[in-house]
Amino acid sequence: MVALLSLFRKQRMWSPEEIRPRYDVVIVGGGVHGLAIAYELAKLGVTDVAVLEKSYIGAGGSGRNTAIIRSNYRTEPGVEFYDESLKIYEQLAVELDYNLLFSQHGHLTFAHTEAGIVGLRVRAETNQVLGVNSRIIDLKEIAELVPALDLSDRPRHPIMAALYHPPGGTIRHDAVVWGYARAASRRGVAIHTGVEVTGVNVADGAVTGVETNRGTIHAGVVVNATAGWATTIAAMAGVRLPIVTHPLQAMVTEPLKPILNPVLVSATLHVYVNQTDRGELVIGSEIDPYSSYSHRSTLPFLESTVRHALELLPAAANARVLRQWAGICDMTPDFGPIIGTVPEVRGFVVDVGWGTYGFKAAPAAGRRTAELIATGRTPDVIAPFTIERFANNQPLGEKAAAAVSH
């Protein structure tokens, strides 16, 4: 047994190798999206692929999120896409042969006004028509699900109803990143960390490769799968993206006895709360209202978010905050992502603009972007997310289901 454990510890998650001067596909960004695309490409037989990450695997948004999974969106394209992603997540641990600590313990979005109830009803009906398990529940059922909630009329914004989405839950973000990286490497994908892309080479309207701090790498396809720096990488190829980058903060408390099973969300209070298996309360809010690349946490966020969280869960008043962190998010005008090719440069593919909900989208985005690259055809499920929708005045309008940053 000791010898077996020693052998297991010596096994590498992914195999390092020298950077080659040419690959069929270069993916910029070693987060969950870039790794998912690489893995899905390898499944389709495209194995001459390099993932370039300037830091370590999962260093960006993939490691700076609260890992909530759901598909109860409002628009038809959004619901269908995120539901596909959720269904992939349900089987992903088996597929990757790696424990992802996925837990589907439900998701509650609260309404505090009559207008809020109407909005949730529209979402519930849209979800149900598209086959997603989502329904409106009253205070009695809410109390049964979360006894610790303050459901009285004492709070400034009393809870009146909720949208209940049983398939929602959480997953361990680091495990997802490592699982994808290991599986992609075992299928022949080259994963290079510490490699920063400094330029994207274009000739005669087509991408030819990238410049890096380790030299030139030639490729017929370059994928921009970055978060936070999506506009920077796109600009290197002469492509302008309608994206603005904002910080997003979250915090975690000391471990507590179990008081919470579903994820709690209030758009009115701009707060969401879930409890981990270790007992910590993970608490987040909306994106910061200014554009920045800062990863620094702030006192105003801590004060306002804790105040709002305690309106929902006053029993947590004495819990100590252990740490607080920030990430950066790429926001588009309609709160939807941008996936696919771009008209300006052939061979340049983008999987960007995920705002605050990119982690839950990664499995479907990876699978469908890989399909696009391998076949040259845009899958129907990602067709609504093309960059041309802005020029064609066809925005998605997904803010109603993404008003709180999780």
Side-chain angles (χ1 to χ4, degrees), residues 9-352:
R9 292 190 186 101
K10 291 179 180 178
Q11 289 182 336
R12 285 187 173 272
M13 291 290 288
W14 48 88
S15 302
E17 60 179 78
E18 293 296 319
I19 298 177
R20 302 202 306 271
R22 174 176 289 278
Y23 295 90
D24 289 341
V25 181
V26 165
I27 300 171
V28 185
V32 65
H33 278 259
L35 293 167
I37 295 169
Y39 168 72
E40 295 290 348
L41 279 171
K43 282 175 57 181
L44 294 172
V46 183
T47 58
D48 190 21
V49 177
V51 177
L52 308 183
E53 169 55 50
K54 71 175 183 179
S55 185
Y56 57 87
I57 293 300
S62 296
R64 292 175 173 269
N65 68 86
T66 50
I68 295 171
I69 307 300
R70 63 185 176 95
S71 61
N72 58 343
Y73 281 70
R74 182 164 179 170
T75 67
E76 182 175 344
V79 172
E80 291 180 342
F81 176 83
Y82 286 100
D83 196 51
E84 176 175 304
S85 200
L86 188 149
K87 285 181 168 59
I88 297 173
Y89 264 129
E90 290 176 336
Q91 305 299 322
L92 193 59
V94 174
E95 180 175 339
L96 300 182
D97 189 25
Y98 199 78
N99 185 4
L100 306 179
L101 301 176
F102 185 29
S103 176
Q104 290 178 284
H105 44 257
H107 184 283
L108 288 173
T109 305
F110 297 125
H112 301 266
T113 64
E114 293 290 344
I117 294 175
V118 171
L120 292 187
R121 183 172 291 115
V122 171
R123 280 177 61 185
E125 292 174 355
T126 301
N127 292 170
Q128 292 165 11
V129 166
L130 296 173
V132 171
N133 187 354
S134 184
R135 59 188 173 87
I136 300 292
I137 61 175
D138 60 16
L139 293 182
K140 182 177 182 293
E141 191 168 354
I142 296 172
E144 293 172 353
L145 289 170
V146 192
L149 271 175
D150 187 348
L151 296 176
S152 70
D153 59 1
R154 291 189 300 270
R156 183 165 50 105
H157 298 288
I159 296 171
M160 299 178 64
L163 178 68
Y164 181 39
H165 179 49
T170 57
I171 195 166
R172 179 67 182 179
H173 50 78
D174 293 328
V176 176
V177 171
W178 299 334
Y180 267 129
R182 186 181 76 155
S185 178
R186 290 181 175 182
R187 287 179 176 267
V189 171
I191 299 174
H192 300 297
T193 58
V195 179
E196 181 176 2
V197 172
T198 58
V200 177
N201 297 327
V202 177
D204 298 324
V207 73
T208 61
V210 295
E211 297 294 331
T212 77
N213 60 345
R214 302 275 295 275
T216 302
I217 301 175
H218 300 280
V221 176
V222 173
V223 183
N224 181 359
T226 57
W229 289 272
T231 53
T232 303
I233 299 298
M236 294 176 184
V239 176
R240 293 185 62 188
L241 297 177
I243 286 174
V244 178
T245 301
H246 291 263
L248 174 65
Q249 301 185 53
M251 69 183 76
V252 64
T253 72
E254 64 183 328
L256 306 174
K257 291 183 178 181
I259 63 170
L260 182 59
N261 195 33
V263 178
L264 308 182
V265 183
S266 170
T268 299
L269 298 175
H270 293 290
V271 70
Y272 62 92
V273 187
N274 71 83
Q275 189 168 24
T276 70
D277 292 338
R278 292 183 298 188
E280 306 120 326
L281 293 181
V282 180
I283 306 172
S285 185
E286 185 52 275
I287 57 172
D288 290 335
Y290 48 83
S291 178
S292 172
Y293 288 91
S294 174
H295 282 82
R296 293 177 62 87
S297 54
T298 65
L299 182 59
F301 161 80
L302 178 66
E303 291 177 331
S304 64
T305 305
V306 166
R307 183 172 67 251
H308 293 152
L310 292 180
E311 290 190 49
L312 299 176
L313 295 168
N318 293 324
R320 293 174 294 181
V321 174
L322 291 187
R323 63 187 180 93
Q324 182 180 344
W325 69 93
I328 50 177
C329 303
D330 289 334
M331 309 300 298
T332 62
D334 63 359
F335 289 77
I338 304 173
I339 319 175
T341 57
V342 297
E344 300 96 326
V345 181
R346 297 188 305 279
F348 188 66
V349 178
V350 295
D351 175 18
V352 297

Side-chain angles (χ1 to χ4, degrees), residues 365-387:
R367 181 166 296 180
R368 296 307 184 172
T369 304
E371 183 181 337
L372 165 66
I373 295 168
T375 67
R377 299 187 300 273
T378 300
D380 291 341
V381 73
I382 64 171
F385 303 109
T386 176
I387 193 171

